[in-house]
Amino acid sequence: MHLLTLLLAIFALASIGQSESRPNILWIVFEDISRDLRCYGDKYSISPHIDALAKEGILYTRAWSNAGMCAPARATLITGMYPPSTGAQNMRSEVTLPPHIQGYPDYLREAGYFCSNHVKHDYNWVAPKTMWDSNDADWKTKSWELRNPGQPFFTVINITDTHSSQLYYRGEERYQKRLEVLSKKEMHDPKRVRVPPYYPDTMGVRKDLARYYDNITYADKLVGDVLTKLEADGLADDTIVFFYSDHGRGMPRSKGWLFQSSLRVPLILRFPEKYAHLAPSKPGSESNRMVSFVDFAPTVLSLAGVTIPEHMQGKAFLGEQEAAPRELAFAYRDRMDERIDLIRAVWDGRYKYIRNFRPHLPWFHHQTRNYPHKQNSYQILHTYWKDGLLNPSQSVYMTQTRPREQLFDTKADPHELTNLAECKEHEEILKWMRGRLSDWQRDILDLGFMPENQWWNRFGVDGNHLDRHTLVRENSEFYPYNDIKQAANLVGTGKESLSKQIELLSHYDPAVRHWAIEGIIAQKEDGRPALPALRKVLNDDVSGNRIAAAQALCALGETRGNLQRLVDALYTDKPILALPAANALDHLGEIARPVFPQIENYLGVVPDQSILGWQFPYRLLEMTMDKF
């Protein structure tokens, strides 16, 4: 009887230990790759360690990065929130978030986890230094080794060898070192690569693609090193492993945009036997569940047994707090480095709807010969476009304007070549998708309609130190969303909207006035009746609106005095206030030629480019001058 009681007690303790034990969680993160892996059916790819991980885990077929660029994608991951809701959507920004919005590592650390991140942050907001226990680039000796005995860990290992920079001159030295590691059988023959139909099939493009795959193969070896270390340290049986990429392929028409090649990413999860009850299916299986980056933070908390904060907008797809599968995934593009933009998208698993709120802007822009893109593919696209050598599928994204709306059947048209937005038989799905995107923007209170410069010159504080998320929710008069959205919706709608746009130039809200000016710029010559009203906006109390009005007037032929206004606007102590003027001068192109000498002078005296932000107006105007 005594022995039986003892055995039952031991069994009970073991059961309690098992129920209370918490998994270690390891994220292995690539940069800038799509699902170009053999385990996803790409037979050209050589990725044996990732393929083996897929056989031991679950391969997700519908994983989605909410942004096609690293910082807004990572801003989504770290908070479990959509950056357009928090104000952290613009590339390389350093915004302030309210105290109640923390990175998920803070919640894990409060629950007793040791948290380490290696190599990259890029969150678009100033994260507290205490968010990670270890931030060292050396993941081999300064990751989970630093935790207390028995302490569960969460570790992110970022592998940067697949970054787009490794496809051009900046990555040349590292690439040559990688080639020393790869065998001849592991190197990719450019002649065998499959060229997407939106690229011209040239050897230069093929070499870029082959190099991209070489980088994946090299990085795959590092995945093997990480997993070997995990095994050698005796931790594999206690660790859930995630493998994914921060967004899609780092090449033209992919990186930074909202196409499938920009957003669909590989995602593989491996569960040790100890935590098999947390897995959605058996090892070696596939999951067709739609998951997006906004869901990752709540999912990690759910797996770790930590309560998901109510403010998180993502939904856990695993663990005790698992939510119902999502039916829609959303995406966003705002300012990308020096280029001011605003695009939103929604995908239902088949149809993709893209809304271009600045349809008067070009898709691609000239890239200077010196920086940043010396990929063969970038240069070839620009050269072939100039020489008229691109076919319709290739040339459509080299045009100087965009459609307001795009609708793609991603099942029938995976490369998104045929825009169905004006196809009558798809009218109902277009209307439905448009409505779902609009609902989502309203629900999250999309801050993308506030011109970025207005955060600086309207509220009396440095825009980076402004808690935008709280400000607009506690003071709705600062951001009359419906009025601003209606003004933005008029951009690109044609002459019938001009009278309304002229009327909105007198609106009390500066953001509404801004979108009215944008709409008049999009009218081109049809906007001429707005000239008298635009002249009045030159005295607007917001500098960005004065800049936009000067651009509009220049485009309509009134360059005298207005070109000089744009040049003068470059000289400010805040780069974010100079950037609209740089964009305006670049868009004006030949019209701005009379002030090219002054632009050259500006490029000679611009502040230190190493300061975050100043590199943007400088680099943009360098491209402008290089173009001519």
Side-chain angles (χ1 to χ4, degrees), residues 92-316:
R92 295 282 184 271
S93 54
E94 294 181 335
V95 304
T96 298
L97 299 186
H100 75 278
I101 296 179
Q102 303 178 47
Y104 63 82
D106 285 313
Y107 303 109
L108 289 172
R109 291 181 71 236
E110 288 172 7
Y113 270 76
F114 172 87
C115 296
S116 67
N117 178 70
H118 305 281
V119 178
K120 193 161 186 173
H121 302 125
D122 235 5
Y123 306 136
N124 272 352
W125 60 282
V126 184
K129 294 181 180 179
T130 57
M131 191 166 68
W132 298 101
D133 291 297
S134 173
N135 245 323
D136 201 285
D138 178 15
W139 58 265
K140 295 182 178 179
T141 62
K142 296 182 178 179
S143 55
W144 50 74
E145 294 88 350
L146 302 180
R147 78 195 195 285
N148 295 324
Q151 184 180 14
F153 68 81
F154 174 86
T155 290
V156 182
I157 296 177
N158 296 283
I159 296 175
T160 63
D161 296 86
T162 54
H163 189 266
S164 62
S165 62
Q166 305 308 300
L167 294 179
Y168 53 92
Y169 73 97
R170 205 171 81 183
E172 187 62 35
E173 183 177 348
R174 286 176 65 182
Y175 179 62
Q176 292 303 323
K177 289 182 178 179
R178 290 187 204 107
L179 293 183
E180 295 174 4
V181 175
L182 300 181
S183 67
K184 288 186 177 180
K185 290 183 178 180
E186 292 174 320
M187 295 173 63
H188 294 80
D189 182 358
K191 295 178 181 178
R192 295 183 54 244
V193 72
R194 184 169 53 189
V195 179
Y198 43 79
Y199 296 151
D201 190 349
T202 71
M203 184 50 66
V205 170
R206 285 179 170 274
K207 285 181 178 179
D208 273 357
L209 288 165
R211 181 165 174 164
Y212 162 80
Y213 278 97
D214 285 347
N215 290 340
I216 290 175
T217 300
Y218 177 85
D220 175 81
K221 292 179 180 293
L222 299 182
V223 172
D225 292 345
V226 173
L227 296 176
T228 297
K229 172 181 166 55
L230 190 72
E231 186 75 39
D233 290 350
L235 297 168
D237 291 341
D238 298 291
T239 305
I240 299 172
V241 177
F242 284 58
F243 167 80
Y244 67 93
S245 174
D246 65 347
H247 55 75
R249 190 181 283 184
M251 291 185 66
R253 193 190 173 273
S254 295
K255 185 167 184 174
W257 299 99
L258 303 186
F259 300 107
Q260 295 298 80
S261 60
S262 318
L263 302 171
R264 291 192 74 178
V265 294
L267 173 64
I268 299 168
L269 270 67
R270 186 181 75 179
F271 294 81
E273 185 176 351
K274 183 176 181 179
Y275 297 108
H277 62 286
L278 296 174
S281 54
K282 295 180 179 180
S285 61
E286 293 184 358
S287 172
N288 291 322
R289 180 168 182 162
M290 182 186 290
V291 299
S292 64
F293 278 9
V294 74
D295 304 322
F296 280 35
T299 298
V300 163
L301 297 181
S302 179
L303 289 172
V306 178
T307 301
I308 300 170
E310 290 184 3
H311 67 261
M312 284 192 174
Q313 295 162 330
K315 305 298 180 184

Side-chain angles (χ1 to χ4, degrees), residues 535 538 546-547 549-551 553-555 557-569 585 588 591 594-595 598:
R535 296 181 193 118
L538 291 174
R546 297 194 298 271
I547 290 168
Q551 177 187 350
L553 289 165
C554 287
E558 293 194 5
T559 58
R560 186 174 180 179
N562 290 313
L563 283 176
Q564 189 61 49
R565 285 186 174 92
L566 294 176
V567 172
D568 291 345
L585 289 164
L588 288 171
I591 296 174
V595 294
Q598 294 183 60

Side-chain angles (χ1 to χ4, degrees), residues 39 79 106 124 180 183 190 265 315 348 376 407 413 418 455 480 482 497 570 589 605 616:
C39 55
T79 60
D106 285 313
N124 272 352
E180 295 174 4
S183 67
V265 294
K315 305 298 180 184
D348 70 357
N376 288 319
L407 180 69
D413 179 24
T418 303
W455 294 115
N482 290 333
S497 300
L570 295 172
V605 298
F616 296 149

